[in-house]
Amino acid sequence: MTTKKENPKPSGKKEKTGDYYTETRHVVIYGYTRQELKKVIRHFEAQLPDFVKITIDNTHLVTNITLTGMNTGVELLRFQMNRYHSNLNRIFTPDVVSLEDQTVAEVLGNLLHERELTVACAESCTGGNIAHRITQIPGSSAYFLGSVVSYSNDVKANVLKVPRSDISSYGAVSKEVVEAMAKGVATLMRSDCAIATSGIAGPDGGTPLKPVGTVWIAVKYGEQIVSECLHFSGDRNAVIESATNHGMVMLINLLRNSYVMQEEVNDD
């Protein structure tokens, strides 16, 4: 299924140093490792003229690609920069999160604020990191209601009303439990949206069926709820940060009506 994303209009920064004008453009994408990026963007990089430089910042599957152009003619420079920016956007559609220099949390916050929606979180393996990232954004009190760090099964059952039978039958790290967590926190907080995580961040606790790095993530918007099982690599912090990014991007895509189920994301 292919759907159209509601990306914000591209914006650029213009500066003048001496006789030269400088313009910058950004494309923020999600889901690519450094190795994958090198393969996809190689041809695009080869076509760039000397006056346009490209920098790539890739952290936990979130990539900010910056184009910086410098030339004496501002109108020609702006035309060229807009063209390269558009080409870059087309290459990575539908994986574009933003066409501005924004964090994932800022993009999510803008969507929620514009639509007058609220969000709450139910976090196990991420330990409140999603809430932390959301509340780093000024003005987040307009849309963020709160978070339940349901690390123990008792908290999942007693506070979020996750059926104990589901925990016993499927385990805490499961589709059934994480979806119940999302529904439970949305009911508890009376929020329009929810993000829930349950996984094994490591370094211990993994099993052959659920190794370290396994994370179930569910997001809810209205009556719609979707969930995914991911397998992240890296140390404990890398798993937590990757799961945090993925959960926010899932909700962004659900809000944009551009959500497509991913079978697995592995950031090796």
Side-chain angles (χ1 to χ4, degrees):
M1 178 180 69
T2 302
T3 52
K4 184 178 179 182
K5 278 197 175 183
E6 298 176 6
N7 285 317
K9 294 181 180 180
S11 66
K13 181 180 179 182
K14 182 182 72 174
E15 296 179 351
K16 186 177 182 182
T17 305
D19 295 328
Y20 287 87
Y21 290 91
T22 300
E23 295 228 350
T24 58
R25 301 289 187 274
H26 296 271
V27 176
V28 180
I29 61 174
Y30 177 78
Y32 289 81
T33 65
R34 290 181 177 87
Q35 291 76 13
E36 290 169 338
L37 278 169
K38 288 179 181 178
K39 296 177 182 178
V40 175
I41 210 169
R42 182 169 49 198
H43 182 65
F44 174 82
E45 286 184 284
Q47 292 182 322
L48 290 176
D50 291 339
F51 64 85
V52 178
K53 306 299 180 185
I54 184 171
T55 57
I56 300 174
D57 179 17
N58 178 275
T59 307
H60 305 302
L61 297 174
V62 176
T63 304
N64 190 331
I65 304 173
T66 304
L67 298 176
T68 304
M70 181 178 289
N71 214 328
T72 55
V74 63
E75 295 300 330
L76 178 60
L77 175 62
R78 184 175 297 125
F79 172 80
Q80 294 278 33
M81 291 295 290
N82 287 342
R83 181 164 67 90
Y84 292 123
H85 193 214
S86 179
N87 290 344
L88 197 58
N89 180 32
R90 282 196 295 269
I91 290 171
F92 290 105
T93 301
D95 303 306
V96 174
V97 177
S98 178
L99 294 176
E100 300 181 39
D101 186 14
Q102 296 177 309
T103 66
V104 172
E106 286 175 321
V107 175
L108 176 59
N110 288 339
L111 278 171
L112 293 167
H113 183 71
E114 290 166 4
R115 301 185 185 193
E116 299 183 344
L117 298 173
T118 56
V119 67
C121 301
E123 302 185 58
S124 186
C125 64
T126 48
N129 195 54
I130 298 175
H132 169 65
R133 291 273 295 279
I134 290 175
T135 56
Q136 281 185 311
I137 308 306
S140 55
S141 59
Y143 50 82
F144 182 72
L145 298 185
S147 176
V148 175
V149 181
S150 52
Y151 228 59
S152 75
N153 289 338
D154 283 342
V155 174
K156 291 180 178 71
N158 295 335
V159 178
L160 297 178
K161 307 305 178 185
V162 177
R164 288 188 182 272
S165 58
D166 284 352
I167 298 174
S168 298
S169 299
Y170 306 108
V173 182
S174 64
K175 173 185 177 72
E176 291 78 10
V177 168
V178 80
E179 289 189 359
M181 289 169 62
K183 293 174 184 176
V185 79
T187 300
L188 178 67
M189 303 279 184
R190 297 181 181 179
S191 63
D192 302 301
C193 307
I195 305 173
T197 62
S198 185
I200 306 162
D204 304 313
T207 68
L209 291 178
K210 296 177 182 179
V212 170
T214 302
V215 182
W216 271 98
I217 303 173
V219 297
K220 184 178 185 296
Y221 171 37
E223 297 304 313
Q224 188 175 8
I225 184 166
V226 296
S227 58
E228 296 181 11
C229 182
L230 295 311
H231 299 280
F232 299 112
S233 64
D235 61 15
R236 183 178 180 85
N237 182 66
V239 172
I240 290 172
E241 291 296 337
S242 296
T244 296
N245 287 335
H246 196 91
M248 289 191 290
V249 170
M250 281 177 67
L251 184 54
I252 288 169
N253 290 338
L254 196 61
L255 290 171
R256 288 175 170 170
N257 196 32
S258 60
Y259 176 82
V260 177
M261 176 69 74
Q262 296 187 42
E263 294 183 1
E264 181 174 325
V265 170
N266 191 317
D267 59 348
D268 286 338

